[in-house]
Amino acid sequence: MTISPAASAAPVSSRQVQANSKTQQGPATGSRLPSDEVAPKSSPLHVLNGYVTFSKSGYSIDAPASVLKQVPAAQLMQLRSYVADVNANIKSGKLAMSPEGVAVPTDALTDEIGQPTGQTGHPSPNATWRGRHGYIKTHWYGVEVGLDSWLTNKVEGGFWTGAGISGLVAALGGGPYAGAVAAALGVIAGGIQVCQHQNGWTYIYWIGGIGAGGFVCNPFG
């Protein structure tokens, strides 16, 4: 992993991105992330978008010190740890970089974590899991979760705790991260109300590891 202050850091050209994105397992050398993988403007990490590149070996962030100073220290530390873990898991074979610049789980990771309730066999490598009432999606900066209004109300009401976690896993679409997401939502249920948008959906994400705290959202969505 590289997150280092640089005297100057010019983003990779769009021509290079187009050429490298045709490879099957991500480019051999660093290419910029596609537009749908950048951090949202509501995130304190959005200032890093122009300095993030991906390759077969993982992510690299080469931002000047003036840019790094704009990211809160605690969140920058979380990001450093998360990117280091992703790159280590790519090296060990638990993750693989997709041509779209997303680290996707391999059989090695699903073997280690185990299959979510109600699923058998290995799912096809992907970075998004969609259920009837929500989804889970991985990014270079962490894990994004979406809940529709029905599921948001259930979570806020404390229904998805204890034995109900398996139902929440299914509602979110399963996947190797669903168990941790469901457990965390059960703890932070009362805090996600501010994250609900006008369309009824609630969107939150964690920078790095999924846990009871540290989630981020746009409170004015």
Side-chain angles (χ1 to χ4, degrees):
M1 181 214 41
T2 302
I3 301 183
S4 58
S8 63
V12 182
S13 70
S14 59
R15 180 178 301 177
Q16 183 178 356
V17 172
Q18 293 171 359
N20 286 334
S21 65
K22 295 179 181 179
T23 61
Q24 293 299 310
Q25 296 294 327
T29 57
S31 290
R32 283 186 61 188
L33 296 168
S35 59
D36 57 351
E37 281 303 317
V38 299
K41 288 186 178 180
S42 60
S43 168
L45 304 180
H46 81 278
V47 297
L48 301 176
N49 283 331
Y51 305 95
V52 181
T53 59
F54 71 98
S55 67
K56 289 182 179 180
S57 59
Y59 297 112
S60 179
I61 305 174
D62 286 309
S66 59
V67 172
L68 292 175
K69 287 195 299 185
Q70 298 177 47
V71 182
Q75 295 183 340
L76 184 60
M77 184 180 299
Q78 288 177 303
L79 180 63
R80 290 179 188 272
S81 177
Y82 176 70
V83 171
D85 286 344
V86 168
N87 292 355
N89 283 332
I90 288 176
K91 185 175 182 179
S92 69
K94 296 177 183 177
L95 297 174
M97 186 65 71
S98 76
E100 295 76 27
V102 182
V104 297
T106 64
D107 282 354
L109 180 62
T110 52
D111 279 337
E112 178 179 305
I113 296 179
Q115 294 301 307
T117 302
Q119 291 192 13
T120 59
H122 291 300
S124 298
N126 62 80
T128 304
W129 295 266
R130 296 188 182 278
R132 185 175 181 181
H133 296 286
Y135 68 86
I136 298 172
K137 180 175 176 59
T138 59
H139 298 282
W140 64 269
Y141 52 84
V143 178
E144 173 190 349
V145 177
L147 307 88
D148 68 5
S149 58
W150 180 86
L151 189 55
T152 296
N153 290 336
K154 293 293 186 181
V155 170
E156 290 177 350
F159 183 77
W160 303 107
T161 57
I165 285 181
S166 61
L168 180 52
V169 166
L172 290 169
Y177 305 106
V181 169
L185 286 174
V187 176
I188 66 174
I192 67 172
Q193 185 176 17
V194 70
C195 303
Q196 191 167 24
H197 287 210
Q198 291 182 350
N199 64 1
W201 275 76
T202 297
Y203 305 98
I204 67 174
Y205 67 89
W206 283 273
I207 298 175
I210 303 162
F215 69 93
V216 183
C217 70
N218 175 8
F220 301 105

